[in-house]
Amino acid sequence: MPNPQPIEWNFKDLVLTDIKKNGGWVNAHAHIDRAFTIRPDSLDIYKKYMLTEKWDIVDAVKNASEDEYYRRISKALELMINQGVTAVGSFIDVDPVAEDRAIKAALRAKEQYKSQITVKLINQTLKGVIEPKARKWFDIGAEMVDIIGGLPKRDERDSGKGEEHFDVLLSTAKKLGKMVHIHVDQFNVQSDKETEMLANKTIEHGMQGKVVAIHSISLACQPKEY
Ligand SMILES: [Zn+2]
């Protein structure tokens, strides 16, 4: 039997070289203001609670100072730079709990690392955009970010105003000339129809080509006819 040819190439190396050649990795969805906040004693909490409960449980890690936020965000960016990431889009909490501490820290870090990584910031609306205090911080955040972010289910659950949440996001983005990036259909249930509503609302507001849906997992459990 002839000796097998020695393997002189490695799939991982091949892929990584090609990615580098094409400009590097792009991290299209992150929450770098909450990076490194999971600890052994909080793992149990994250395991036991539903996603809707976690929207408020994470308040604990959002009470950080601007400097603490800056430290987390910088550490996350340095890690990505070391791994060959050249661009990242990250949500940043701007709401009645985080106020503007996280976004101010993120803007500082964006400037600090701009020669090594392109950072696009998106405001996370974890407390919704309907309740007056939440709306105040949404309006402040919208001015400070590159892309308008959203989470319609928060207002749908709290007050049945998910549709209004879409309208606030899309009309604000249109007014400011920014793109939109929205968390939709996250619960893997047939009653979730947020991807469809986002498509309809995008057309209604004339925002075609400027809207991104993230998650959309409930689509997969809809019947084929849908
Ligand atoms: Zn997210």
Side-chain angles (χ1 to χ4, degrees), residues 129-141:
V129 298
I130 302 297
E131 189 274 322
K133 257 194 225 147
R135 178 59 191 265
K136 176 191 137 183
W137 285 106
F138 168 76
D139 288 336
I140 293 170

Side-chain angles (χ1 to χ4, degrees), residues 171-188:
S171 57
T172 305
K174 193 169 187 177
K175 186 178 79 189
L176 298 174
K178 295 180 179 181
M179 284 188 69
V180 185
H181 190 136
I182 309 183
H183 296 84
V184 291
D185 280 355
Q186 297 188 88
F187 294 90
N188 208 26

Side-chain angles (χ1 to χ4, degrees), residues 29-31 91 124 183 186 214-215:
H29 188 103
H31 290 260
F91 277 78
Q124 172 65 323
H183 296 84
Q186 297 188 88
I214 184 72
H215 300 311

Side-chain angles (χ1 to χ4, degrees), residues 18-201:
D18 248 31
I19 286 170
K20 223 178 200 171
K21 230 191 291 171
N22 283 287
W25 296 99
V26 173
N27 184 346
H29 188 103
H31 290 260
I32 55 177
D33 53 338
R34 295 189 222 145
F36 313 105
T37 56
I38 290 181
R39 299 177 190 287
D41 54 340
S42 62
L43 269 181
D44 206 40
I45 299 172
Y46 290 121
K47 200 168 64 191
K48 278 183 192 153
Y49 289 88
M50 300 286 292
L51 182 59
T52 47
E53 295 166 317
K54 289 178 197 157
W55 291 343
D56 297 311
I57 287 172
V58 292
D59 283 356
V61 302
K62 288 159 57 183
N63 280 311
S65 66
E66 188 184 321
D67 281 347
E68 168 63 13
Y69 272 122
Y70 183 74
R71 193 186 64 78
R72 284 180 199 163
I73 293 166
S74 301
K75 202 171 156 189
L77 290 180
E78 283 180 21
L79 205 61
M80 283 189 265
I81 292 163
N82 286 338
Q83 291 171 350
V85 179
T86 52
V88 54
S90 179
F91 277 78
I92 301 290
D93 293 313
V94 189
D95 62 28
V97 180
E99 300 188 329
D100 58 0
R101 296 187 305 281
I103 190 68
K104 279 184 175 166
L107 286 165
R108 267 164 62 200
K110 177 181 169 164
E111 178 66 21
Q112 176 69 25
Y113 293 93
K114 69 178 179 193
S115 63
Q116 297 169 82
I117 188 165
T118 301
V119 180
K120 295 286 179 198
L121 300 173
I122 315 160
N123 54 323
Q124 172 65 323
T125 59
L126 210 50
K127 303 293 184 185
V129 298
I130 302 297
E131 189 274 322
K133 257 194 225 147
R135 178 59 191 265
K136 176 191 137 183
W137 285 106
F138 168 76
D139 288 336
I140 293 170
E143 298 281 344
M144 299 171 87
V145 292
D146 303 294
I147 298 166
I148 306 298
L151 177 68
K153 193 65 98 203
R154 177 72 209 218
D155 284 321
E156 184 61 28
R157 191 203 64 170
D158 287 1
S159 57
K161 291 187 172 164
E163 188 176 344
E164 232 173 294
H165 188 117
F166 281 106
D167 286 327
V168 170
L169 301 184
L170 289 157
S171 57
T172 305
K174 193 169 187 177
K175 186 178 79 189
L176 298 174
K178 295 180 179 181
M179 284 188 69
V180 185
H181 190 136
I182 309 183
H183 296 84
V184 291
D185 280 355
Q186 297 188 88
F187 294 90
N188 208 26
V189 289
Q190 287 188 7
S191 57
D192 252 355
K193 300 240 166 57
E194 292 178 324
T195 306
E196 180 184 359
M197 183 174 275
L198 176 57
N200 289 335
K201 287 286 171 190

